[in-house]
Amino acid sequence: MGFISEFKEFAMKGNVMDMAVGVIIGGAFGKIVSSLVDDVLMPLVGMITGNVDFTNLVFKIGEGEEAAVLKYGTFIQNVVDFIIVAFCIFLMLKGINKLNRKKEEPAPEPEAPKGPTQEELLAEIRDLLKTK
């Protein structure tokens, strides 16, 4: 089996194709979530916090041109953004799971009798009496 045909077989497997579709959908979904955070949630958070921007927080080590600048404020801002995005995705998935759970619930089955019915017991007694 040649290298090309082996690669073609690998690439056309269902798992690889599913993963490719997942990556593409994930990228598009990422844009939606980023827009939700940047355009809807962050203005509200900014209004509540008084438009605090952590990205200006820096720590300089050394003097002059050779000073190392640690931009820890950008890191804090990215952590806050991540927490907001993760919480939004959590809420979306929780809502989707709730909708799916309602669809999956089967109709309750009628309970089967736990033992023989009264008629079956009487027939059994009759048959026992006949044999004696």
Side-chain angles (χ1 to χ4, degrees), residues 28-43 85:
F29 185 71
K31 289 180 182 179
I32 292 171
V33 172
S34 295
S35 176
L36 174 69
V37 170
D38 294 340
D39 302 330
V40 177
L41 295 177
M42 287 311 282
V85 169

Side-chain angles (χ1 to χ4, degrees), residues 6-7 13 21 24 26 29 33 47 49-50 60-61 71 74 76 78 84 86 92-93 102 115 124 130:
E6 190 175 339
F7 177 74
K13 282 186 179 177
V21 170
I24 293 168
F29 185 71
V33 172
M47 191 172 74
T49 61
K60 289 185 181 181
I61 300 174
K71 298 179 181 180
T74 303
I76 292 172
N78 287 333
I84 292 171
M92 285 182 192
L93 289 177
K102 287 181 181 179
E124 191 175 325
K130 281 183 183 179

Side-chain angles (χ1 to χ4, degrees), residues 2-123:
F3 180 77
I4 302 284
S5 62
E6 190 175 339
F7 177 74
K8 182 179 176 184
E9 181 182 333
F10 166 77
M12 292 303 163
K13 282 186 179 177
N15 294 341
V16 175
M17 297 304 284
D18 291 344
M19 184 178 71
V21 170
V23 167
I24 293 168
I25 298 276
F29 185 71
K31 289 180 182 179
I32 292 171
V33 172
S34 295
S35 176
L36 174 69
V37 170
D38 294 340
D39 302 330
V40 177
L41 295 177
M42 287 311 282
L44 296 174
V45 171
M47 191 172 74
I48 293 169
T49 61
N51 289 326
V52 174
D53 185 14
F54 296 111
T55 57
N56 297 327
L57 300 176
V58 296
F59 183 74
K60 289 185 181 181
I61 300 174
E63 297 289 327
E65 300 264 337
E66 297 175 3
V69 179
L70 303 177
K71 298 179 181 180
Y72 70 93
T74 303
F75 175 74
I76 292 172
Q77 187 69 43
N78 287 333
V79 169
V80 169
D81 290 349
F82 170 78
I83 290 170
I84 292 171
V85 169
F87 185 69
C88 290
I89 291 174
F90 169 75
L91 290 177
M92 285 182 192
L93 289 177
K94 187 172 179 162
I96 290 170
N97 287 339
K98 195 172 191 177
L99 290 174
N100 286 340
R101 203 173 308 125
K102 287 181 181 179
K103 291 178 187 176
E104 292 176 4
E105 289 179 9
E109 296 179 18
E111 289 189 28
K114 293 183 180 181
T117 62
Q118 185 176 3
E119 290 81 17
E120 292 172 337
L121 289 173
L122 289 173

